[in-house]
Amino acid sequence: MSACRLRSWGNYPDFPQTPFACHWRSELPDQLASLRAESGSTLPYGMGRSYGDSCLAASDHVLHMRPLDRFISADWSAGILSAEAGVTLEEILAVAIPRGWFLPVTPGTKYVTLGGVIANDVHGKNHHRKGTFGRHVRRFGLLRSDVGRLTCSAVEQPEFFAATIGGLGLTGVIEWAEIQLMRIGASRIRSLTQRFNTLDEFFALSSELDARHEFCVSWIDCSATGSTIGRGIYTAGDFSDEGPLATESPQKRSIPLTPPIPLFNRLSLKVFNEAYWRRAPAARTSADVGYDGFFYPLDAIRHWNRIYGPKGFQQYQCVIPEPEARAGVHALLETIAKSGAGSFLAVLKRCGDIASPGLLSFPLPGTTLALDFPQSAQLEANLFPRLDAIVREAGGRLYPAKDAHMSGEDFRRSYPEWRRIEALRDPALLSRFWQRVTQ
């Protein structure tokens, strides 16, 4: 047991976790049994980059998987890599890029573990082409407190394979995984950027360009009002065909301390968003950029979550199905702008129709919107209920990996397969999120 206490990335809700580090796979069965006997239940915990309470054990005692950070095997001719669950995406990129391979799907941070990306079935800027991370998992080792070790794939223990991909770490402890990487010819990105003035322009750009490019995403000005609602900056990119295969280590800055209050307010947010939008080119512009800044811009600022102050923050990420996407996103942005809340980083992206093998995967064919909000009592008393109603009416759903407020009724409506997860849940594993939305 360590003397430190772990938290989720949003620092809300505030339930410090006592970590029990696992250094060897051979020790996992005894550690799992011991934690269950002493605490009633536990939960695997990686880098703690889940924003809300899905990474927090109901017992507040977690099995810390990060020390399991060894590579097991690699076939560099086929791009097949096997590693322990605590290996991070950054560590995979360090060995894969020089050999001409990249992650098939990556979220917006490389500081997450392999076990974590499977448990949350993460998606990225190429969901329209590659689907979620789970589609590129060949097999994994799963330790259960009741039946021991299982090897799971689409044909071996297929029920546990489907339940564990996106299963929020509840169906057993992922010990290792074998994944299929994506071939690249160079590590630089040919990017395209264009400013748009309205939500209609965003959908027009997306319809024109998403199919032509591997990666697509947009920043959106969540403080814009009136005729400017929905304005933002569209970005697309593809790996270059020629150039170096080199890992990048850009200079990093850090937020050294947690300030007593959030570092921005309603006025500074509006000023920043106006300046950021105007800084982008109005005409379509191409550039050659590094992969690290393209995929992981926030990783350049260590502890960026501290800018929200000691109360932390909540991220609101939803997906609205395609037929209702335009009207639903407009209603969400209008409601957020009127509230005066919002964030510097608001992300808008259209998801494709490639189905995930997981039962609880978040994306739907439609449009996803993600924003950060400084934690305050007003969020759950005022703003979030209004946003939830819009999402509910449009047939959308929220992202469990980011959530800290979703009602049990909304969760159970949005994820009807939750009962299958509950039936397959390891009796030794329970999160505060799962307890909140199912019990």
Side-chain angles (χ1 to χ4, degrees), residues 27-58:
E27 298 174 350
L28 266 173
D30 287 344
Q31 286 188 298
L32 185 58
S34 176
L35 268 168
R36 184 184 187 188
E38 295 175 8
S39 306
S41 63
T42 183
L43 193 71
Y45 182 103
M47 293 289 282
R49 287 299 182 117
S50 294
Y51 284 59
D53 53 1
S54 67
C55 65
L56 306 180

Side-chain angles (χ1 to χ4, degrees), residues 202-259:
F202 159 77
F203 281 102
L205 274 173
S206 176
S207 296
E208 175 193 355
L209 297 173
D210 281 7
R212 299 186 201 171
H213 299 282
E214 175 77 21
F215 307 104
C216 305
V217 70
S218 292
W219 170 86
I220 197 158
D221 180 0
C222 63
S223 60
T225 57
S227 61
T228 64
I229 282 182
R231 72 178 182 179
I233 304 167
Y234 178 91
T235 302
D238 301 275
F239 278 103
S240 297
D241 297 325
E242 297 180 350
L245 288 166
T247 54
E248 299 170 4
S249 299
Q251 187 176 6
K252 290 182 170 54
R253 300 176 180 176
S254 179
I255 306 295
L257 298 169
T258 300

